[in-house]
Amino acid sequence: KQEVTQIPAALSVPEGENLVLNCSFTDSAIYNLQWFRQDPGKGLTSLLLIQSSQREQTSGRLNASLDKSSGRSTLYIAASQPGDSATYLCAVEDSNYQLIWGAGTKLIIKP
Amino acid sequence: EAGVAQSPRYKIIEKRQSVAFWCNPISGHATLYWYQQILGQGPKLLIQFQNNGVVDDSQLPKDRFSAERLKGVDSTLKIQPAKLEDSAVYLCASTRSGGVPYFGPGTRLTVL
């Protein structure tokens, strides 16, 4: 059974720092891996999708990597800003096209 | 294009009462999902529709939860009777047919 883990559960850093969020999964037979952002009182917004054949995806200050063999993905945020404060969730799409979710990392960027 | 709409945004009920949530997906999106997200956890899929047919409802507690998607457009999720452990945010999402899901703002349910 696929399990997705995100560490740490919470992270607080000063504005301007580069940071890395981690996601690990137990079964490497995935279709893709997705990173989402969740703001309080709002739904989830897709940030990046990495197909199983890809190693990384970039969007602005965000870069996500995927290492299927080790069951790991990282989300790198460059030059963090207070507006980046949110909960970041990763999800893997399995062979049944179902999304299996991590519990998220709550990120606080201090001005 | 308009996003996924959900209502109500908040609901407080007593245990054993009934409650219904409504979702209107993005126009043209054939796939609709209902998720339950308990505080501090990731979303858990309750049911997936493809047009008006059920694709997966394996994690839907069918003794108390029901969902329908008549005409393959909007959908309702009902809980009857509610339990304390049903307190959560209920998220609706849609996609054209797989791919990146677009989420609504969610309905926060509190069962007292």
Side-chain angles (χ1 to χ4, degrees):
Chain A
K1 177 185 174 184
Q2 178 74 270
E3 293 182 1
V4 180
T5 303
Q6 291 186 249
I7 295 173
L11 181 64
S12 179
V13 300
E15 179 179 5
E17 282 199 4
N18 303 324
L19 57 98
V20 173
L21 306 181
N22 297 295
C23 173
S24 61
F25 47 96
T26 55
D27 186 345
S28 62
I30 64 171
Y31 189 62
N32 62 50
L33 184 143
Q34 303 183 35
W35 283 93
F36 291 82
R37 169 182 174 141
Q38 187 170 31
D39 292 279
K42 297 185 180 180
L44 290 88
T45 302
S46 177
L47 296 173
L48 290 164
L49 182 152
I50 312 176
Q51 299 288 358
S52 61
S53 58
Q54 297 176 317
R55 294 300 298 267
E56 65 178 343
Q57 281 286 340
T58 298
S59 176
R61 295 182 294 107
L62 305 180
N63 176 277
S65 68
L66 174 63
D67 184 342
K68 274 181 51 179
S69 61
S70 66
R72 294 181 182 179
S73 175
T74 61
L75 179 66
Y76 175 83
I77 302 177
S80 58
Q81 303 170 357
D84 295 331
S85 297
T87 297
Y88 291 80
L89 295 97
C90 71
V92 298
E93 189 168 345
D94 65 12
S95 54
N96 295 318
Y97 304 107
Q98 300 292 345
L99 283 177
I100 313 300
W101 296 80
T105 294
K106 183 175 182 179
L107 177 64
I108 297 174
I109 307 297
K110 298 174 289 185
Chain B
E1 81 189 331
V4 177
Q6 288 189 248
S7 67
R9 293 294 311 278
Y10 306 92
K11 190 74 177 179
I12 300 174
I13 62 173
E14 301 280 338
K15 60 183 179 183
R16 291 188 289 274
Q17 285 186 325
S18 301
V19 65
F21 312 128
W22 174 82
C23 172
N24 191 319
I26 293 173
S27 177
H29 281 196
T31 307
L32 184 148
Y33 309 83
W34 281 104
Y35 287 92
Q36 179 193 58
Q37 187 177 22
I38 293 172
L39 186 64
Q41 299 182 17
K44 169 188 156 185
L45 179 68
L46 293 175
I47 189 166
Q48 177 184 347
F49 292 96
Q50 181 73 18
N51 296 308
N52 60 350
V54 176
V55 174
D56 185 350
D57 64 357
S58 58
Q59 298 191 87
L60 186 73
K62 298 180 185 64
D63 58 334
R64 298 184 300 106
F65 286 64
S66 64
E68 60 182 11
R69 191 185 184 196
L70 299 177
K71 302 181 182 178
V73 182
D74 54 355
S75 175
T76 56
L77 176 70
K78 296 179 181 178
I79 307 176
Q80 180 180 8
K83 292 185 176 181
L84 295 177
E85 58 261 36
D86 298 332
S87 294
V89 175
Y90 290 84
L91 296 164
C92 179
S94 69
T95 69
R96 289 198 180 276
S97 189
V100 175
Y102 291 82
F103 283 83
T107 296
R108 181 176 297 278
L109 174 67
T110 302
V111 182
L112 302 176

